[in-house]
Amino acid sequence: MTTAGRFGVYGGAFVPETLVPALEELEAAMTAALADPAFIAELDGWLRDYAGRPTPLTLARRLTEACGGAEIWLKREDLLHTGAHKLNNALGQVLLARRMGKTRIIAETGAGQHGVATATVCACFGLECVVYMGREDTHRQAVNVYKMGLLGAEVRPVDSGSRTLKDATNEAIRDWVTNVENTHYVIGSVVGPHPYPTLVKRFQRVIGDEARAQALERWGALPDLVVACVGGGSNAIGIFTAFIEDEDVELLGVEAAGRGIETGEHAASLEAGRPGVLHGAYSYLLQDADGQVRETHSISAGLDYPGVGPEHAALRDAERARYVSCTDGEALRAFHRLCRMEGIIPALESSHALAVAERRAGELGLGHRVLVCLSGRGDKDIDTVRAVGGTGEGTQ
Amino acid sequence: MTAATAGRFEAAFAARGAGERPGIIPYVMAGFPGPGDTAPLLLAYERAGSLAAEVGIPFSDPLADGPTIQSIGWRALEQGMTPARAIAQVAEARAAGLTIPVAAMTYINPVLAMGVEAFAAACAAAGIDGVIVPDLPVDEAAGLAASLGAHGLAHIPLVAPTTPTSRVARVAATAAGFVYCVSVTGTTGARDRVSPAALDLLARVRSVTDLPRALGFGISRPEHVEALTGHCEAVVVASALLDAIGTGGDDPGATAERFIRGLRGVGAAG
Ligand SMILES: Cc1ncc(COP(=O)(O)O)c(C=O)c1O
């Protein structure tokens, strides 16, 4: 096995031979672009003038009081244009694709946030955009499907396999294999074959770079704990990366425990999976004894994925980051608390991080600070939350 | 190396006459059309004069496959097909007298789940001669190739129209049995014609290796096979054959034999 694109033993590029030259071309283009001050300036300009960076750091005042411990601070990716951190990556990759002369953009999406972000950037540049989405998810996230249409993208529902994010990703890769000459595949998280995990990390690390600078400026100190939800892991890598060398900063990733790990209906790859290969990378994977990828469940479509980015696998094995999980019910209750106490409607994905942050804030006690990546806003989840009803009290 | 298995591909290709049409390597997904049908189909493939056969071990997320093989694989999994059972079907066919070479085709994750070494040993014990893993490019393949070699099995890598010739040479250097040439930039599935890119790839492969070349992905009609005479030594036929078997009534073996003889351009007696 090669050492290129490895995080410890994880990562690699397990793809059909047809795609190998395209991945090599992408890696070369990435290296050249990231070393080019003109490209970086162009990207920074779009992030500032179009996306709305830097995003604020907000003290969750009443939530902190209610938890009775460490201060809870929110990195407000929910305020980014299109409502989630996904735009950071979509902007970076589409700018890179333009530089590579690609005229057609494809993407996969689960919650629809990455699809909306990609469709948005393609509209800015007048690029053809096709988004693959599992049929199940087109129902769960109908508003985002409509939005992508408004933005001029074509949404292709995927009926193979379990009809969710993993199958949409398969279909996007098949499209790429077929149209590799003119098409760039904008993958939505730190997953997939090398160089994607590295590329997406580069475009998301702005979250943590900003937050670290904001912390030093506002508090004159670093947070004691950084918490982020983990689907594929891009917002988590995005906020962790700036703090990796800060050994005293605890890094905590939160996966979806769905209806409970013990029920088997969850999406906690790092907690309950074994290493394997999905979508071109070797990482933790929810699979059966024969290596067939298992179906997953989470109330949040963005976390409903059986794999996880290879760098998280390495951080876990190296014990630099810890990974825990949070059930649908715990996330829903955290969702409602943030609405009521802070006037912020969070994405259900981000609510997983909030639930664990609240618990840990109490444990850490006064005089400490918890930094939470509020990866997105919850507008897309209103129908899901309304269908459950109440304030989440009494749900599992 | 147990020459008995490594040699089956070599002997099969050596037995071809000069100027002959490419030999036929028909594919079957283990458990298709029904759980017990694989061994009888393999025997029908041999009766039809196939050069070799390919047996698919289904995987939940087959990235390189188009709709036909995806849906057949999904159904096989739903009916309880597993890697161990798929391999056992080849052993069953061997016990019933199958003599043509057999390659197993699957994705890397089921192989890793069984363990690379255990997988190679199980394939060898069942009388499988080679292994094709479409999501394992040469850069990641050293471990599997070594285990297969130790068990006398051929590691059969793929090259595609997008593969530069320098890389084709590197891939071919790890190959045994034959080089699997992908005819299209795309997934498996029947196509109307053989692309010029495929002929170009076959010529580029020949410029760097003497190994036999099998062209696959999209080959579906007798005229494709005829037109490929002199360009490659074998063709792999999958989706079109499985479509024919799936719609061909209740004798899969007879349908398969008819289809394969048609591709070979011979009558019922051939
Ligand atoms: C708001 C939000 N947060 C988190 C995620 C999960 O992705 P990742 O783990 O790559 O950050 C998604 C995915 O759609 C999302 O929309």
Side-chain angles (χ1 to χ4, degrees), chain A residues 321-365:
Chain A
R322 280 197 315 122
Y323 297 87
V324 295
S325 61
C326 158
T327 63
D328 290 349
E330 290 167 328
L332 269 170
R333 288 192 288 279
F335 173 97
H336 286 288
R337 278 193 297 270
L338 202 72
C339 293
R340 300 268 181 112
M341 292 187 188
E342 303 295 339
I344 296 171
I345 301 178
L348 281 173
E349 289 81 8
S350 323
S351 302
H352 287 70
L354 286 166
V356 172
E358 290 174 27
R359 198 160 70 217
R360 292 282 287 125
E363 290 165 13
L364 275 171

Side-chain angles (χ1 to χ4, degrees), chain A residues 1-2 4 6 11-21 24 160-162 166-167 169-171 173-175 177-181 274-280 282 285 287-295, chain B residues 57-66 70 74 77 81-84 108-114 134-143 158-164 167 170-171 182 184-187 191:
Chain A
M1 295 204 178
T2 54
R6 294 275 165 175
F14 298 84
V15 293
E17 178 62 31
T18 305
L19 289 180
V20 170
E24 288 174 351
S160 58
S162 55
K166 106 178 153 67
D167 310 282
T169 307
N170 289 338
E171 217 42 48
I173 295 175
R174 291 184 187 113
D175 179 315
V177 171
T178 309
N179 301 296
V180 61
E181 289 295 326
R274 286 181 290 120
V277 171
L278 179 67
H279 300 146
Y282 182 65
L285 178 60
Q287 54 181 322
D288 71 13
D290 289 324
Q292 310 296 348
V293 180
R294 280 185 29 199
E295 293 200 15
Chain B
I57 301 174
F59 175 51
S60 54
D61 295 83
L63 279 185
D65 284 306
Q70 278 177 50
W74 193 254
L77 287 173
M81 185 50 62
T82 64
I108 188 59
N109 202 51
V111 176
L112 294 177
M114 189 181 283
D135 61 345
L136 193 70
V138 60
D139 323 86
E140 310 281 1
L158 297 90
V159 292
T162 55
T163 313
R167 186 174 161 89
R170 199 148 73 78
V171 173
V182 176
V184 291
T185 36
T187 53
R191 306 286 201 288

